[in-house]
Amino acid sequence: MPLIGSSLTPEDARPRIVAIGFKRIHQMLQALVPELADRATVEVLDAGFDAAVAQVRQRQAIQAVDVVVAAGSNGGYLRQHLELPVVLVKVGGFDVLQALATARQRSPRVGLVTWQGAPLDLSPFNTLFDLGVTQRTYTTEDDARACLRALQQQGIEVVVGPGLVADLADEMGLTGVFLYSMDAVREALHDAVEVARAARIEQAKRERLNTILGQLSDGVIAVDRQERIQTVNPSMARWVGVRPDEWLGRTLTEVCPELSLQTVLRLGEADVERIERVKGKTLIVNRLPIVEQGLLTGAVLTCQDPISIQRVDRHLRTRTKTPAAPRRHALEELLGRSPAIDQLRRMALSAARSAATVLLIGESGTGKELVAQGIHAASDRREMPFVALNCAALTETLLESELFGYEEGAFTGARRGGKIGLFEAAHRGTLFLDEVGEMPLSLQARLLRVLQEREVLRVGATEPTPVNVRVIAATHRDLREQVAQGLFRLDLFYRLNILRLDVPSLRQRRDDVPLLAEALHARLCHRLGSDPARTRPWLQALVQAATRYDWPGNVRELENLLERLLAYAGDEPGAAPRVQSLPERLRLIAPELFDGPSESSPQGLQQLQTAQEVDHLRQVLAACGGDRQQAARQLGISRTTLWRKLKTAPATPSGPTG
């Protein structure tokens, strides 16, 4: 019955009581009803036993009944056959003495017949006051008749008892004295009002609790001390495929053994965050004891859907992502009209339709991550995370913890509560492993296991976590040669080399340089707030001068060179003589276009180990004024790689090294 936030009238809000009694008690009830008019709605029925049960159920079906009031055997019968609280009219000591006094005024031979469910023991009074009262008890109407016949045969003339007994005594020629007083009936009605009020308060709490439980996405089951189910919320009912009322009152172990709470009820200890299969569904299960006033009164079981948790976690990561986070690229952003780039786009689109692992082969700066993001964006995982990691950028220990995560206390300095790895962060999405050829052999074995078993084991953990991740790997190395040298696992190579895509270098598609330069120039001008028209002549001069350039740093080098051009195009070096010719000024700003590798160089910068490569490095370094950071960025390699190549090169006077 809705009580909270409802629009009930004052009459509807009052407790509804049905009072039941024959003849004498019926008359008392009728007389007392007006006294309760402002506190309850009371209906009095002149019925008993089966007829009373039928009438109460009929009224309950129309409008809820809170409490039933009855007396004697009639009340006992109703308690056994109704699911409603039944308040019995109680006989007090004063009522008994008053009734006996009335009976003794009529005859000294007095009998007392009471219902067996509420017996009155007068033996101490009989002995003490020499009352001479013969006492009997009954259960049914036939028992009452038998008791009266026996008393009549003993010469009893007056019988004190409930309404049924008093009426039967009158019928049999005896004198019946009604046992119940007006005060006893009044007290029972008042008790009924309080019981109804308490029941309504409890019902309101229960409805509020059920409303809360009904809104939870977690499944909840509560049981009593005997593991009888008291509450099943809709989420739990949906997961186990039943209606909530089907399980109420039944033992949890009986209906669903895998969710049993017997251990918690026996030990009184919580058991939390268990990963269990329930009715074919993987759930996170928590079992907790219910302790009230220091006593164990039951237990509660909660279940969480891991997919929902991952969805919330993904939403949180999305909302807390910094505005500067790179946006995802699409395959349409692979600019160019050359056959090589057309073929790459077609193959990448085909790879996006598959769930297999992808291996991208290409020199540094060719746009392998752009291709990986494009494949992800074109796949059915596009709404899920895209997580990228450069395997060459971290030490072996850091790479292991980043990829696989770790448990709390796994090592000194481990974050409290542990940390999820990138495989878990990319669950249901894509993990891009750049420079996978640089991964240590020990981690290659762990990566292979994740790819085969689709589960990841955190550092320090004992139980693996299932993951659903699509892996796209990339490298600039020849992995077959790495395998031959013992630097890369053959089984991992075969596991990665399912969908192979070769990303062409810029020298393999020189015809795309004008289109790429135009797009990069527009993007840089927008980012730097520069006027594209002012530097367009420089752009045209650069494209014309680079027709025979090999672009060892590929598209990244082209972008960096354009940014340098935008920075220097309007300026002249302070100490240098004024140069009128645009090509001469371009030679000053980008000398590598005129002195760099020629078409006769068949390989890119990172594959050349010749003196020509070293000369080129030194020329670029000189053009950058000795700034190794800028030179490394221009060449598309790391500062450490540049330092190593220059350090191991034979000393020559061809250019500055520092």
Side-chain angles (χ1 to χ4, degrees):
M1 183 184 302
L3 296 176
I4 300 175
S6 65
S7 57
L8 296 177
T9 64
E11 287 190 6
D12 293 332
R14 289 178 302 175
R16 187 160 182 258
I17 298 172
V18 174
I20 299 173
F22 297 110
K23 299 180 181 178
R24 307 179 193 220
I25 198 167
H26 182 272
Q27 295 172 359
M28 286 185 175
L29 290 169
Q30 289 281 23
L32 292 170
V33 166
E35 295 183 12
L36 301 175
D38 60 336
R39 299 178 58 196
T41 300
V42 182
E43 182 181 4
V44 181
L45 301 180
D46 187 3
F49 303 100
D50 289 335
V53 170
Q55 291 186 38
V56 171
R57 287 177 175 169
Q58 183 181 16
R59 282 158 175 75
Q60 176 78 355
I62 299 173
Q63 184 179 358
V65 175
D66 293 296
V67 184
V68 173
V69 177
S73 58
N74 199 13
Y77 186 86
L78 294 176
R79 274 189 170 179
Q80 294 178 356
H81 293 82
L82 289 177
E83 295 76 27
L84 295 170
V86 177
V87 174
L88 296 179
V89 179
K90 299 175 183 177
V91 179
F94 180 77
D95 296 329
V96 175
L97 293 177
Q98 189 177 39
L100 290 176
T102 301
R104 288 297 292 268
Q105 291 175 359
R106 300 179 182 179
S107 173
R109 304 186 65 79
V110 178
L112 175 65
V113 179
T114 57
W115 177 52
Q116 191 174 14
L120 294 172
D121 186 9
L122 293 181
S123 54
F125 294 97
N126 263 334
T127 303
L128 184 61
F129 298 106
D130 191 22
L131 297 177
V133 176
T134 303
Q135 186 175 359
R136 295 284 186 273
T137 61
Y138 72 97
T139 303
T140 65
E141 183 176 346
D142 291 338
D143 290 339
R145 290 181 185 277
C147 290
L148 290 173
R149 290 194 197 97
L151 291 174
Q152 192 174 34
Q153 292 173 1
Q154 294 177 18
I156 298 297
E157 298 175 347
V158 181
V159 178
V160 177
L164 173 65
V165 173
D167 292 341
L168 291 175
D170 289 342
E171 291 178 9
M172 297 174 64
L174 300 172
T175 301
V177 176
F178 192 40
L179 179 60
Y180 299 109
S181 68
M182 186 70 79
D183 288 337
V185 177
R186 180 184 289 109
E187 183 179 355
L189 289 173
H190 283 283
D191 288 345
V193 173
E194 290 304 312
V195 169
R197 189 183 66 85
R200 288 208 169 189
I201 293 174
E202 187 64 28
Q203 177 68 14
K205 291 180 179 178
R206 189 179 301 111
E207 288 183 354
R208 182 180 178 86
L209 178 60
N210 288 338
T211 300
I212 294 172
L213 293 177
Q215 300 303 314
L216 294 179
S217 58
D218 294 354
V220 179
I221 295 179
V223 302
D224 62 10
R225 190 67 180 83
Q226 286 70 43
E227 208 196 14
R228 290 189 297 263
I229 298 173
Q230 295 178 317
T231 300
V232 180
N233 78 332
S235 293
M236 178 61 77
R238 185 170 60 253
W239 287 342
V240 296
V242 299
R243 295 194 312 273
D245 57 350
E246 291 181 15
W247 280 13
L248 295 180
R250 301 177 65 184
T251 304
L252 181 57
T253 300
E254 171 195 352
V255 296
C256 192
E258 54 264 50
L259 294 179
S260 174
L261 286 167
Q262 288 184 346
T263 302
V264 175
L265 291 170
R266 186 175 70 254
L267 303 178
E269 297 177 355
D271 183 15
V272 299
E273 295 183 356
R274 291 276 188 177
I275 309 297
E276 299 182 10
R277 294 284 293 178
V278 180
K279 302 291 185 180
K281 186 178 183 65
T282 301
L283 298 173
I284 301 173
V285 181
N286 300 288
R287 295 175 172 86
L288 303 167
I290 299 175
V291 179
E292 297 177 277
Q293 298 181 348
L295 297 176
L296 180 68
T297 59
V300 62
L301 178 141
T302 65
C303 295
Q304 296 172 296
D305 184 359
I307 296 178
S308 299
I309 296 175
Q310 292 160 0
R311 187 183 303 115
V312 171
D313 179 62
R314 185 171 64 254
H315 288 169
L316 287 174
R317 289 198 305 269
T318 301
R319 293 190 177 191
T320 57
K321 186 169 62 176
T322 59
R327 64 183 179 88
R328 292 178 181 172
H329 296 286
L331 291 175
E332 292 75 13
E333 296 180 52
L334 285 173
L335 299 179
R337 303 186 184 93
S338 63
I341 202 68
D342 283 342
Q343 180 179 352
L344 176 63
R345 275 194 295 262
R346 288 194 301 271
M347 294 183 67
L349 188 59
S350 298
R353 301 189 188 103
S354 170
T357 305
V358 178
L359 180 61
L360 302 176
I361 307 292
E363 298 175 11
S364 178
T366 52
K368 296 187 291 294
E369 183 168 352
L370 188 151
V371 176
Q373 290 194 25
I375 293 174
H376 173 79
S379 71
D380 56 5
R381 298 173 182 259
R382 64 182 67 87
E383 300 300 327
M384 300 301 160
F386 177 89
V387 180
L389 175 68
N390 190 318
C391 299
L394 300 173
T395 64
E396 179 176 349
T397 303
L398 286 177
L399 183 60
E400 181 182 32
S401 63
E402 283 294 313
L403 272 178
F404 306 109
Y406 56 82
E407 293 291 307
E408 179 177 351
F411 50 83
T412 303
R415 180 189 301 175
R416 184 174 182 180
K419 177 186 176 183
I420 67 168
L422 295 185
F423 269 105
E424 292 181 65
H427 181 58
R428 302 181 70 199
T430 301
L431 178 61
F432 175 57
L433 298 178
D434 198 8
E435 302 295 351
V436 72
E438 313 301 321
M439 181 177 288
L441 281 170
S442 59
L443 296 187
Q444 291 179 28
R446 293 197 63 181
L447 173 60
L448 177 64
R449 179 166 184 82
V450 174
L451 295 176
Q452 289 177 334
E453 304 298 330
R454 296 294 178 179
E455 59 185 24
V456 61
L457 186 67
R458 292 188 184 184
V459 177
T462 57
E463 296 183 1
T465 301
V467 291
N468 176 11
V469 177
R470 202 258 181 96
V471 173
I472 300 178
T475 183
H476 69 278
R477 295 188 179 276
D478 184 344
L479 291 186
R480 290 187 181 275
E481 183 179 344
Q482 293 275 96
V483 170
Q485 295 176 2
L487 301 177
F488 202 83
R489 293 179 63 102
L490 180 62
D491 47 7
L492 178 59
F493 170 71
Y494 286 135
R495 176 64 64 174
L496 294 176
N497 194 37
I498 298 176
L499 301 179
R500 170 170 174 158
L501 293 178
D502 291 293
V503 183
S505 64
L506 194 52
R507 67 176 172 276
Q508 292 174 316
R509 53 186 190 114
R510 281 195 175 92
D511 293 343
D512 291 335
V513 170
L515 181 62
L516 286 170
E518 182 70 31
L520 292 172
H521 175 258
R523 187 169 69 187
L524 287 170
C525 287
H526 177 74
R527 179 164 62 87
L528 299 175
S530 175
D531 182 10
R534 184 179 68 84
T535 54
R536 190 168 302 281
W538 290 90
L539 173 65
Q540 296 170 350
L542 181 146
V543 171
Q544 185 176 2
T547 53
R548 296 175 58 82
Y549 187 57
D550 276 346
W551 297 105
N554 294 291
V555 179
R556 185 184 295 123
E557 182 184 4
L558 173 60
E559 183 175 13
N560 292 341
L561 189 57
L562 284 169
E563 187 168 0
R564 187 201 312 171
L565 194 67
L566 292 178
Y568 291 153
D571 301 327
E572 296 180 12
R578 185 175 180 82
V579 180
Q580 298 294 335
S581 170
L582 184 59
E584 290 182 2
R585 295 184 66 184
L586 182 62
R587 180 183 291 273
L588 180 64
I589 295 174
E592 61 266 39
L593 295 179
F594 302 91
D595 303 325
S598 66
E599 285 184 301
S600 60
S601 305
Q603 303 297 327
L605 174 62
Q606 296 192 13
Q607 294 174 320
L608 294 176
Q609 300 294 330
T610 63
Q612 183 181 9
E613 177 191 13
V614 176
D615 288 342
H616 178 64
L617 293 174
R618 288 171 175 163
Q619 289 172 9
V620 174
L621 185 61
C624 295
D627 187 335
R628 290 189 177 184
Q629 187 69 30
Q630 183 179 350
R633 188 166 57 249
Q634 171 69 31
L635 292 166
I637 60 177
S638 68
R639 191 172 182 272
T640 303
T641 302
L642 175 62
W643 175 83
R644 177 174 52 80
K645 288 181 178 291
L646 292 174
K647 185 174 183 295
T648 57
T652 67
S654 58
T657 62

